[in-house]
Amino acid sequence: MTEAIEHDDLWWRQAVTYQVYIRSFADGDGDGTGDLAGLRSRLGYLRDLGVDALWINPWYESPLNDGGYDVANYRAIDRRYGDLAGAEALISDAHDLGLKVLADLVPNHTSSEHAWFREAISAAPGDASRDRYYFRSGRGPDGTEPPNNWQSVFGGPAWTRIDDGDWYLHLFDVSQPDLNWDHPEVRADFLDIFRFWFDRGIDGFRVDVAHGLSKDPSLPDLAAGVPAFGIEQDGSHPYWDRDEVHEIIREWRSVADSYAGKVMVAEAWVSPERLPMYLKSDQYHQSFDFDFLTAPWTAAARRPLIERAIQLIDSNAAMPTWVLSNHDVIRHATRFALAPENQPTGINASVVDDDLDQHVGLNRARAAAMLMLALPGSVYLYQGEELGLREVTDLPPEVLDDPIWERTGHKIKGRDGCRVPIPWTRSGPAFGFGEAAPWLPQPSDFADFSVEAQTGVAGSTLELYRSALALRRAHLSAGSTFAWIDMGDDVIAFERGGITNVTNFGDEPVELPNGTILLTSGPSDGHTVGTDVTAWIQTPS
Ligand code: BGC
C-alpha cells in the first residue's frame, strides 16, 4: 500500500463529520418530512461549510416509532426518504464533492415490523423463529408477571406480553424487540448488512447502542442498587457493556477491514475506564466522548477530559471523538443557557424555560464549538448547531413524537425539541425546509437563525463555523503537537499547529498572548477576551 492510500484510509482520524437528522434536514418532495432528495440538493451547503463527512441517521424502511431506530428492513430505504437508487445517487454526489458518507446501524433491536419478528409472533411459543429475539414465559402462577424486573430506557417495563402468553424483551420501545446476539443467523445477517452498504459506497457506520447487544443469558433480575441505565465498571451489568460484545465487534471489524478506508464509530455510553476496550485496533475506530458532551460549561469540568484524551493519543490507544450535541440530547446552546450546576445531561432530560438565558447559551455554544474544533482528533457536529439553534422547549403535547412522552406517562417530553426541522430561509413555507408544514412546527424566531439570515453576515454563528472549519483545515491538521498553556483556573489554553486557543470561562477578561488574532467567538478589544469567549491566535514563529 502506498503512503498516499494509507493516509486516505485514515481520513476519519481528524475528520469533521456533520450529523444529518434526515427527517429534519431538507424536504425535497413537499410532504413535510426531510428526505434524500432534499439532502442531495443541499450537499453544496455542507461542502461550503467545510466538513469532511456526513453521518445520516437511520434511513431504512421503518414505521418511525422511534425516528427510524426501529428498522423493518435494513436493506431498503424508507419510502418517505426515497429509495435505494436515491441513496446510491446521494453517496455518489457526496463523493464527487469530497464528502464521505456514514450510515447508522441499529443492531440491538429491530422494529416489530421486521420480517423476523412477524414470523416469531405468528409462530407458536417455543418455535425456533422466536430464538432470534428474547421470548420467555412470565413469572407468577399464570405467567402474568414479566420474566424479570428490567425497565425500558424510555420508561415502563422492558417486557411486553403477546396474546399466546409469551413475553418479549424490548429495552427501548415496545416496537423495538431486542435481538438475540447469541443466535448465529443474527450474527451472519448483520455481517451481510455491512457488506450490502459497503458495496454501495458507504464509508462507514455509526453503530447504535454499541454497548448493548449482549445479555446475561440467564436474564437475571437487576440487583437492588444496580442502576437500570447506569454504567458498571466491571462488565457485570446484565445488559450493558458486557465483555461478550467485543467478540461481535471483532467480527464486524474484519468485514470493514476487508474494504479500504471504512470507519465504525460507537455510540457507547460506558465508563471511561472501559471505553478503550471498544477502541482496540480490532474493534471500533472511534467512540463518541459523551463525557465532553455532558460536562457542564466550566473549565474545571472540561480540562481533565481533554487531558485524558491527550494521554490516550500519547499512549497510541485512541484518537478522541468530540461531540457537543446530537439528536438525543438538549441542544447545547440551551443546556449552556442554564447555570453550570443546572445544565441537564442525558436523553431523558427536561429544561424549564424560565431559567434560560439564551444569549448566554449562544455565547457559550460558540465558544465551545471553537474550543472543540481546536482539539486534536475528530469532531461530530449536529445539524443546526452551526446556526446556533436552540432547543425548542415549548412544543405542544399534541405534536410530540418521541416514544419517551407516552412511555413516561407524559412526564418527560423527550427529544423532539432538538429535532425540529432546520430553517434555510427567513421566510416562505417552513423557512425553506420544504413546501408543506413540517412534521414538527418551527418557532417564528427560527427565521433569524436561518442559513439565509446568517450567510455573509460577519460574526454570525454560521460564518463563525465556516471560518473555524477553514482555519482548522489549514492549521490544525494531523500530527500537530499539543501544549498546554497555564492562564489560570478559569481558562483553557493550549497551542497546536501554530495556533493558540484561549477559552475564557471566568468572569474577568483575560489577556491574550502575543500574535495575530485569527478568530474570536465573541467580542475582543484586540488584547483581551471576556467571559465565554474563545480566541484563536496565530503564534509568531
Ligand atoms: C439512539 C436513539 C434511539 C435509541 C434506540 C440511541 O441511542 O441514538 O435515538 O432512540 O438508541 O435505538
Side-chain angles (χ1 to χ4, degrees):
M1 201 183 276
T2 68
E3 215 174 282
I5 292 172
E6 252 170 30
H7 179 73
D8 193 46
D9 282 357
L10 300 178
W11 62 270
W12 45 270
R13 286 171 64 91
Q14 300 279 336
V16 177
T17 300
Y18 184 97
Q19 180 188 349
V20 175
Y21 195 72
I22 184 164
R23 232 177 155 185
S24 301
F25 187 69
D27 172 14
D29 65 4
D31 65 355
T33 293
D35 49 34
L36 289 170
L39 172 54
R40 267 183 90 188
S41 72
R42 305 283 182 179
L43 285 176
Y45 167 79
L46 297 177
R47 186 228 15 229
D48 295 347
L49 180 61
V51 299
D52 305 294
L54 327 178
W55 148 35
I56 304 170
N57 285 105
W59 53 9
Y60 314 103
E61 190 181 311
S62 164
L64 298 188
N65 285 333
D66 182 24
Y69 284 94
D70 46 327
V71 180
N73 182 352
Y74 293 85
R75 295 174 182 81
I77 298 288
D78 193 85
R79 65 191 154 71
R80 281 158 287 196
Y81 300 145
D83 56 20
L84 205 49
E88 287 175 334
L90 172 89
I91 296 167
S92 159
D93 284 4
H95 286 170
D96 288 348
L97 294 175
L99 297 166
K100 308 277 188 185
V101 183
L102 308 189
D104 200 323
L105 192 76
V106 189
N108 181 69
H109 42 263
T110 67
S111 160
S112 49
E113 301 287 307
H114 190 283
W116 280 350
F117 194 74
R118 284 165 172 266
E119 186 188 350
I121 52 167
S122 52
D127 188 83
S129 61
R130 292 200 174 176
D131 295 344
R132 298 189 192 105
Y133 295 91
Y134 288 95
F135 279 86
R136 293 290 184 278
S137 320
R139 293 199 286 203
D142 306 316
T144 52
E145 300 293 319
N148 67 25
N149 67 357
W150 299 358
Q151 295 292 301
S152 152
V153 174
F154 293 161
W159 294 91
T160 289
R161 196 174 198 197
I162 59 172
D163 287 348
D164 60 30
D166 258 9
W167 296 75
Y168 69 90
L169 175 69
H170 53 87
L171 288 176
F172 293 87
D173 188 46
V174 59
S175 62
Q176 293 167 298
D178 278 57
L179 283 167
N180 171 13
W181 274 87
D182 291 327
H183 196 293
E185 281 179 39
V186 173
R187 301 274 275 251
D189 198 49
F190 273 83
L191 297 181
D192 191 61
I193 293 166
F194 272 110
R195 289 192 200 98
F196 180 90
W197 289 104
F198 285 150
D199 289 343
R200 277 160 185 78
I202 278 293
D203 299 292
F205 283 96
R206 176 265 191 190
V207 178
D208 189 56
V209 196
H211 57 309
L213 281 65
S214 294
K215 277 103 191 165
D216 181 332
S218 66
L219 306 182
D221 268 342
L222 207 55
V226 176
F229 319 120
I231 289 169
E232 293 295 290
Q233 296 192 359
D234 57 1
S236 65
H237 198 285
Y239 50 88
W240 298 134
D241 187 25
R242 294 184 60 79
D243 290 343
E244 300 89 310
V245 78
H246 297 284
E247 195 194 316
I248 301 167
I249 305 166
R250 279 192 285 267
E251 285 179 7
W252 297 347
R253 178 67 185 253
S254 63
V255 173
D257 283 351
S258 68
Y259 296 78
K262 306 295 183 191
V263 60
M264 298 196 309
V265 53
E267 186 219 17
W269 295 84
V270 301
S271 72
E273 292 75 20
R274 289 178 63 86
L275 194 61
M277 289 166 59
Y278 289 77
L279 291 164
K280 290 192 174 152
S281 60
D282 59 354
Q283 298 191 41
Y284 286 102
H285 302 80
Q286 304 180 315
S287 185
F288 298 111
D289 187 331
F290 287 127
D291 291 334
F292 191 76
L293 182 152
T294 55
W297 180 249
T298 65
R302 287 180 184 272
R303 191 180 291 107
L305 301 176
I306 300 171
E307 262 159 12
R308 182 177 81 194
I310 301 296
Q311 277 163 14
L312 285 176
I313 301 176
D314 288 348
S315 61
N316 244 341
M319 284 301 275
T321 305
W322 306 107
V323 59
L324 286 165
S325 273
N326 63 33
H327 64 291
D328 287 330
V329 298
I330 292 168
R331 282 188 178 276
H332 59 275
T334 296
R335 269 184 277 135
F336 295 159
L338 295 159
E341 59 281 14
N342 296 332
Q343 286 167 12
T345 59
I347 68 168
N348 289 3
S350 302
V351 279
V352 182
D353 258 346
D354 300 349
D355 303 337
L356 294 172
D357 186 333
Q358 276 302 161
H359 178 69
V360 168
L362 183 55
N363 287 345
R364 290 175 177 167
R366 292 162 56 105
M370 278 184 64
L371 167 62
M372 173 168 73
L373 288 168
L375 292 170
S378 60
V379 167
Y380 280 72
L381 306 177
Y382 178 49
Q383 70 178 36
E385 74 168 78
E386 81 280 17
L387 305 176
L389 285 192
R390 63 179 176 85
E391 183 84 0
V392 181
T393 54
D394 56 356
L395 286 170
E398 62 276 13
V399 304
L400 296 178
D401 185 73
D402 187 343
I404 289 179
W405 172 242
E406 289 301 331
R407 289 196 63 86
T408 59
H410 299 179
K411 286 197 185 67
I412 299 176
K413 274 186 139 180
R415 300 158 292 175
D416 294 312
C418 66
R419 300 173 177 180
V420 174
I422 64 172
W424 293 92
T425 53
R426 263 183 222 276
S427 56
F431 300 119
F433 167 71
E435 289 302 313
W439 71 280
L440 284 174
Q442 300 154 304
S444 56
D445 68 343
F446 264 32
D448 302 330
F449 289 90
S450 64
V451 173
E452 182 186 39
Q454 299 195 43
T455 298
V457 176
S460 72
T461 303
L462 177 57
E463 293 301 341
L464 178 74
Y465 269 73
R466 284 182 174 149
S467 303
L469 286 163
L471 287 168
R472 177 183 159 98
R473 195 175 283 249
H475 300 280
L476 299 162
S477 59
S480 48
T481 54
F482 180 100
W484 285 109
I485 301 172
D486 184 1
M487 292 182 66
D489 288 349
D490 286 333
V491 179
I492 291 187
F494 54 85
E495 202 263 355
R496 268 191 83 218
I499 300 221
T500 298
N501 177 93
V502 176
T503 304
N504 183 8
F505 294 78
D507 296 332
E508 302 299 324
V510 293
E511 197 78 31
L512 295 174
N514 282 338
T516 311
I517 300 179
L518 298 178
L519 190 66
T520 62
S521 68
S524 166
D525 57 9
H527 306 285
T528 62
V529 287
T531 306
D532 298 331
V533 175
T534 292
W536 287 355
I537 298 105
Q538 188 156 35
T539 324
S541 46

